[in-house]
Amino acid sequence: MNRRFLDTATILLILALAGCASSAERHEEMEKKDKRAETHVMLGASYMQRGQLDVAKEELEKALSEVPDNSQANNIMAVLQWRLKKYDEADRLFRKALDKDASNSSAHHNYGAFLCDRGKLDAGIRHFDVAAGDALYPYTAEVNLNAGLCLMKKPAPAAAEKYYREALRINPKLPSALYQMAKLSADSGQRLSARGFIERYFQSADDTPESLLLAVKIERALGNKNAEASYALRLRSKFPKSPEAGQLHAASTSKKK
């Protein structure tokens, strides 16, 4: 066999192997960058939950310096910018997060909440619907709850109720959804239904001034003076300085007059 041919073949083989090695190294380095970015995103989100926004920002900036196009890094940074009231930057980052990964349900959920907060209700609902349609997204109950809250800004109680009921179908003990259904039912004159929802609420969550005042109003509408007095006593005892306790005092004072 021709010696020159052997040498040429050997050289080509070496070049090919070098190319494979280079490609493998690049892939390995990219994986390392992705893992570092993921760690910084998790830390950033954790610091943000604790209210340490400056530290959260540093961690998220590190994540984006590792992988500028990381969808989740842009998503969480957008939430941070929203909290800092930098709305244009938040909107840009949410859009970038979804541009890089249109299937990022967390970004759809957060962007939907952002848009509703900014008064763009219909656009927000569209993003909520995308997130709610993802069977693998672990927060579909909360998505439906937030969609209902968004619709009540219109207000659109009938449409909101559908979302609240879907939230409760997914998680029957979701406190906020139970409270909202109790309120909707009370407002529409469905008093027994309202009682059922508020009782379920108290089985799943701690007392709040708002929930206790709602319970007082529901039992008052039903004419159950004992239950009304019981809820009123809980409200005055647990939250004596709350505006809701003040409303009770004002109501009792006007009755005496």
Side-chain angles (χ1 to χ4, degrees), residues 1-15:
M1 189 176 287
N2 189 296
R3 178 69 181 175
R4 178 178 291 179
F5 176 79
L6 281 174
D7 291 344
T8 303
T10 302
I11 291 169
L12 289 174
L13 179 60
I14 291 170
L15 289 173

Side-chain angles (χ1 to χ4, degrees), residues 46-120:
S46 178
Y47 283 122
M48 185 160 52
Q49 286 181 331
R50 298 178 204 166
Q52 296 174 262
L53 303 188
D54 289 342
V55 186
K57 187 170 183 287
E58 288 177 9
E59 290 295 338
L60 294 170
E61 285 173 344
K62 289 176 184 176
L64 289 169
S65 70
E66 291 283 358
V67 187
D69 290 341
N70 183 288
S71 178
Q72 195 65 350
N74 281 282
N75 172 33
I76 304 304
M77 179 63 95
V79 174
L80 176 61
Q81 296 301 320
W82 176 15
R83 288 190 61 174
L84 294 172
K85 302 187 186 306
K86 296 181 179 180
Y87 302 122
D88 289 343
E89 181 64 4
D91 188 85
R92 184 188 71 80
L93 288 165
F94 276 129
R95 288 176 181 274
K96 183 176 180 181
L98 290 169
D99 180 59
K100 298 306 174 184
D101 182 4
S103 66
N104 185 340
S105 294
S106 173
H108 280 292
H109 189 178
N110 289 332
Y111 194 29
F114 171 79
L115 290 168
C116 285
D117 180 63
R118 303 304 297 154
K120 300 176 181 179

